Amino acid sequence: MNETLRSIQNRRSCREYLTAQIKVDELETILQAGFYAPSAHNEQSWHFTVIQNQNTLNELNNDFKEVGKNVDDNFIKQVANDEKFHIFYHSPTVIIVSGDQKAILPQVDCAAATENMLIAAESLGIGSCWIGLAYWIFSSDKAADYKKVLNIPEAFIPYHAITLGYKKSEMTKVPERKLDKINYIK
Ligand SMILES: Cc1cc2nc3c(=O)[nH]c(=O)nc-3n(C[C@H](O)[C@H](O)[C@H](O)COP(=O)(O)O)c2cc1C
């Protein structure tokens, strides 16, 4: 197996991080991997907001909890009511991934960029997790305020986040893969 395939297979969602910040060049390498993702009509319709301020991340977590308690979904309600749960798992770096509303397929472009960044992180030995729950933070009344504070361009919608940090431990348990989801026409 080559390096690329190893990174794809070894990547796991990391939910426990060391407090040490990742290096600037590691962060830049990961962002660069995002920029090189494919995108519909090559629109590159993503925008990445890097947050390393723990007060801001805690505030976003608190707002997720507030909104989540009233979402019509048992899992979201449960984590929103769990005092110990932190939407970003106390990771030292979070990237908010936003897409340009004017593009053709911004959510798909953003997903491609996100997966590139997760694999790049793994290749550098850095833990990461895709945080779809972050969507709820930006679905609240405060969404417009947050977009201003976080400097997210006007036409962009925050879709999800990525947590990044050094792993507290190696994750060896691979969630079961459904390897039969394939068919061939020959
Ligand atoms: C669209 C999407 C949203 C996700 N949202 C979250 C999330 O909010 N929180 C979380 O801990 N994991 C989230 N995950 C990670 C999945 O739970 C994880 O990828 C899945 O359980 C498989 O585990 P693995 O990533 O270790 O292979 C998300 C993954 C995707 C693709």
Side-chain angles (χ1 to χ4, degrees):
M1 198 187 295
N2 67 33
E3 274 297 305
T4 308
L5 295 173
R6 229 190 318 275
S7 295
I8 290 170
Q9 283 209 11
N10 287 346
R11 182 212 55 78
R12 293 277 70 74
S13 293
C14 177
R15 299 184 176 96
E16 278 190 290
Y17 296 92
L18 299 177
T19 48
Q21 188 53 273
I22 60 171
K23 298 188 182 84
V24 172
D25 62 320
E26 291 171 330
L27 175 63
E28 279 172 5
T29 302
I30 292 167
L31 291 165
Q32 188 85 349
F35 289 134
Y36 275 84
S39 61
H41 287 201
N42 188 29
E43 285 188 300
Q44 303 175 35
S45 65
W46 42 67
H47 180 88
F48 309 137
T49 304
V50 179
I51 310 177
Q52 295 184 315
N53 180 305
Q54 287 304 312
N55 291 334
T56 305
L57 293 174
N58 288 336
E59 241 179 75
L60 291 171
N61 177 53
N62 291 339
D63 279 341
F64 163 71
K65 297 281 184 75
E66 248 178 63
V67 177
K69 283 173 189 164
N70 298 312
V71 171
D72 189 17
D73 177 287
N74 283 340
F75 172 76
I76 296 176
K77 268 204 181 92
Q78 189 195 318
V79 291
N81 282 302
D82 180 349
E83 278 194 13
K84 286 197 193 128
F85 181 81
H86 194 292
I87 187 171
F88 302 124
Y89 305 107
H90 305 286
S91 65
T93 292
V94 168
I95 303 174
I96 306 289
V97 180
S98 307
D100 187 344
Q101 289 180 77
K102 298 192 295 309
I104 296 171
L105 289 169
Q107 204 156 1
V108 182
D109 296 344
C110 286
T114 298
E115 179 65 355
N116 264 18
M117 290 193 272
L118 301 186
I119 294 166
E122 174 59 32
S123 78
L124 298 171
I126 290 169
S128 67
C129 190
W130 185 320
I131 308 293
L133 285 174
Y135 164 82
W136 293 101
I137 300 169
F138 300 100
S139 70
S140 78
D141 301 343
K142 292 186 185 166
D145 295 343
Y146 267 136
K147 277 183 66 176
K148 265 195 205 126
V149 171
L150 299 176
N151 230 343
I152 295 171
E154 186 67 29
F156 284 64
I157 303 175
Y159 291 132
H160 55 260
I162 298 171
T163 52
L164 291 172
Y166 299 124
K167 304 168 191 173
K168 214 168 195 174
S169 59
E170 275 306 320
M171 289 145 294
T172 47
K173 199 161 175 279
V174 183
E176 191 197 342
R177 259 41 194 181
K178 298 171 183 167
L179 301 174
D180 59 344
K181 298 216 166 185
I182 184 165
N183 74 311
Y184 297 94
I185 311 290
K186 287 190 176 171

Short mmCIF file of all heavy atoms in Angstrom, two decimals, residues 153-175:
data_model
loop_
_atom_site.label_atom_id
_atom_site.label_comp_id
_atom_site.label_asym_id
_atom_site.label_seq_id
_atom_site.Cartn_x
_atom_site.Cartn_y
_atom_site.Cartn_z
N PRO A 153 -17.24 35.82 4.47
CA PRO A 153 -17.79 36.71 3.43
C PRO A 153 -19.31 36.59 3.30
O PRO A 153 -19.88 35.51 3.48
CB PRO A 153 -17.09 36.22 2.15
CG PRO A 153 -15.91 35.45 2.61
CD PRO A 153 -16.22 34.92 3.97
N GLU A 154 -19.93 37.72 2.99
CA GLU A 154 -21.39 37.89 2.95
C GLU A 154 -22.12 36.73 2.23
O GLU A 154 -23.06 36.17 2.76
CB GLU A 154 -21.67 39.23 2.25
CG GLU A 154 -23.09 39.67 2.23
CD GLU A 154 -23.63 40.02 3.61
OE1 GLU A 154 -22.82 40.45 4.45
OE2 GLU A 154 -24.84 39.84 3.83
N ALA A 155 -21.65 36.39 1.03
CA ALA A 155 -22.41 35.43 0.22
C ALA A 155 -22.17 33.98 0.63
O ALA A 155 -22.69 33.06 -0.01
CB ALA A 155 -22.03 35.63 -1.24
N PHE A 156 -21.40 33.77 1.68
CA PHE A 156 -21.03 32.39 2.04
C PHE A 156 -21.87 31.85 3.21
O PHE A 156 -22.20 32.58 4.13
CB PHE A 156 -19.55 32.31 2.41
CG PHE A 156 -18.64 32.34 1.20
CD1 PHE A 156 -18.59 33.47 0.37
CD2 PHE A 156 -17.86 31.25 0.88
CE1 PHE A 156 -17.78 33.50 -0.76
CE2 PHE A 156 -17.03 31.28 -0.25
CZ PHE A 156 -17.00 32.39 -1.06
N ILE A 157 -22.16 30.53 3.13
CA ILE A 157 -22.90 29.86 4.20
C ILE A 157 -21.96 28.88 4.91
O ILE A 157 -21.36 28.03 4.25
CB ILE A 157 -24.07 29.03 3.63
CG1 ILE A 157 -25.00 29.90 2.80
CG2 ILE A 157 -24.83 28.32 4.73
CD1 ILE A 157 -26.09 29.10 2.12
N PRO A 158 -21.84 28.98 6.24
CA PRO A 158 -21.03 27.99 6.95
C PRO A 158 -21.77 26.64 6.97
O PRO A 158 -22.91 26.56 7.41
CB PRO A 158 -20.92 28.56 8.37
CG PRO A 158 -21.40 29.98 8.26
CD PRO A 158 -22.36 30.02 7.12
N TYR A 159 -21.10 25.61 6.46
CA TYR A 159 -21.75 24.28 6.37
C TYR A 159 -21.35 23.37 7.52
O TYR A 159 -22.15 22.64 8.06
CB TYR A 159 -21.35 23.58 5.07
CG TYR A 159 -21.92 24.20 3.83
CD1 TYR A 159 -21.10 24.45 2.73
CD2 TYR A 159 -23.27 24.51 3.73
CE1 TYR A 159 -21.61 25.01 1.58
CE2 TYR A 159 -23.79 25.06 2.58
CZ TYR A 159 -22.95 25.31 1.50
OH TYR A 159 -23.46 25.85 0.37
N HIS A 160 -20.07 23.34 7.80
CA HIS A 160 -19.58 22.42 8.84
C HIS A 160 -18.20 22.89 9.29
O HIS A 160 -17.70 23.91 8.80
CB HIS A 160 -19.53 20.98 8.31
CG HIS A 160 -18.74 20.81 7.06
ND1 HIS A 160 -19.31 20.72 5.81
CD2 HIS A 160 -17.40 20.75 6.84
CE1 HIS A 160 -18.37 20.60 4.89
NE2 HIS A 160 -17.21 20.61 5.50
N ALA A 161 -17.62 22.13 10.21
CA ALA A 161 -16.29 22.52 10.72
C ALA A 161 -15.36 21.30 10.68
O ALA A 161 -15.80 20.16 10.49
CB ALA A 161 -16.41 23.04 12.14
N ILE A 162 -14.08 21.59 10.86
CA ILE A 162 -13.07 20.52 10.99
C ILE A 162 -12.29 20.80 12.26
O ILE A 162 -11.85 21.95 12.47
CB ILE A 162 -12.09 20.56 9.80
CG1 ILE A 162 -12.81 20.33 8.47
CG2 ILE A 162 -10.97 19.53 9.99
CD1 ILE A 162 -11.91 20.56 7.25
N THR A 163 -12.14 19.80 13.12
CA THR A 163 -11.25 19.97 14.27
C THR A 163 -9.88 19.44 13.90
O THR A 163 -9.76 18.47 13.14
CB THR A 163 -11.79 19.20 15.50
OG1 THR A 163 -12.04 17.84 15.11
CG2 THR A 163 -13.07 19.80 16.02
N LEU A 164 -8.85 20.07 14.44
CA LEU A 164 -7.47 19.64 14.16
C LEU A 164 -6.64 19.74 15.44
O LEU A 164 -6.78 20.70 16.20
CB LEU A 164 -6.82 20.57 13.12
CG LEU A 164 -7.33 20.52 11.68
CD1 LEU A 164 -6.68 21.65 10.88
CD2 LEU A 164 -7.05 19.17 11.02
N GLY A 165 -5.79 18.77 15.64
CA GLY A 165 -4.88 18.82 16.79
C GLY A 165 -4.11 17.51 16.89
O GLY A 165 -4.43 16.54 16.19
N TYR A 166 -3.11 17.52 17.76
CA TYR A 166 -2.37 16.27 17.95
C TYR A 166 -3.26 15.30 18.72
O TYR A 166 -3.97 15.69 19.66
CB TYR A 166 -1.07 16.54 18.71
CG TYR A 166 -0.14 17.48 17.96
CD1 TYR A 166 0.33 18.65 18.55
CD2 TYR A 166 0.26 17.19 16.65
CE1 TYR A 166 1.17 19.51 17.86
CE2 TYR A 166 1.09 18.05 15.96
CZ TYR A 166 1.54 19.20 16.56
OH TYR A 166 2.37 20.05 15.87
N LYS A 167 -3.20 14.04 18.31
CA LYS A 167 -4.07 13.02 18.90
C LYS A 167 -3.62 12.69 20.33
O LYS A 167 -2.42 12.58 20.58
CB LYS A 167 -3.99 11.72 18.08
CG LYS A 167 -4.33 11.88 16.62
CD LYS A 167 -3.95 10.63 15.84
CE LYS A 167 -4.01 10.86 14.34
NZ LYS A 167 -3.52 9.74 13.54
N LYS A 168 -4.61 12.51 21.22
CA LYS A 168 -4.28 12.10 22.59
C LYS A 168 -3.81 10.64 22.59
O LYS A 168 -2.95 10.25 23.36
CB LYS A 168 -5.50 12.27 23.49
CG LYS A 168 -5.14 12.67 24.90
CD LYS A 168 -6.34 13.11 25.66
CE LYS A 168 -5.93 13.85 26.91
NZ LYS A 168 -7.06 14.41 27.61
N SER A 169 -4.43 9.86 21.71
CA SER A 169 -3.99 8.46 21.58
C SER A 169 -4.29 8.01 20.16
O SER A 169 -5.09 8.64 19.47
CB SER A 169 -4.74 7.58 22.58
OG SER A 169 -6.11 7.69 22.32
N GLU A 170 -3.62 6.94 19.73
CA GLU A 170 -3.89 6.41 18.39
C GLU A 170 -5.22 5.67 18.42
O GLU A 170 -5.50 4.92 19.35
CB GLU A 170 -2.77 5.44 17.97
CG GLU A 170 -1.56 6.11 17.34
CD GLU A 170 -1.89 7.02 16.15
OE1 GLU A 170 -2.75 6.66 15.32
OE2 GLU A 170 -1.28 8.11 16.06
N MET A 171 -6.06 5.94 17.45
CA MET A 171 -7.33 5.24 17.40
C MET A 171 -7.20 4.01 16.54
O MET A 171 -6.92 4.11 15.34
CB MET A 171 -8.41 6.15 16.83
CG MET A 171 -8.78 7.25 17.78
SD MET A 171 -9.18 8.74 16.93
CE MET A 171 -7.62 9.16 16.22
N THR A 172 -7.37 2.87 17.17
CA THR A 172 -7.15 1.62 16.42
C THR A 172 -8.46 0.99 15.98
O THR A 172 -8.48 0.16 15.08
CB THR A 172 -6.36 0.61 17.28
OG1 THR A 172 -6.98 0.57 18.56
CG2 THR A 172 -4.91 1.01 17.44
N LYS A 173 -9.56 1.45 16.63
CA LYS A 173 -10.85 0.82 16.30
C LYS A 173 -11.42 1.47 15.03
O LYS A 173 -11.68 2.67 15.00
CB LYS A 173 -11.81 1.01 17.47
CG LYS A 173 -12.96 0.04 17.44
CD LYS A 173 -13.62 -0.07 18.81
CE LYS A 173 -14.84 -0.96 18.73
NZ LYS A 173 -16.01 -0.25 18.21
N VAL A 174 -11.57 0.66 14.01
CA VAL A 174 -12.12 1.18 12.75
C VAL A 174 -13.61 0.88 12.71
O VAL A 174 -14.00 -0.28 12.76
CB VAL A 174 -11.44 0.50 11.53
CG1 VAL A 174 -11.96 1.08 10.23
CG2 VAL A 174 -9.94 0.59 11.64
N PRO A 175 -14.46 1.93 12.66
CA PRO A 175 -15.90 1.65 12.53
C PRO A 175 -16.13 0.73 11.32
O PRO A 175 -15.50 0.93 10.27
CB PRO A 175 -16.52 3.03 12.31
CG PRO A 175 -15.52 3.99 12.85
CD PRO A 175 -14.18 3.36 12.64
#
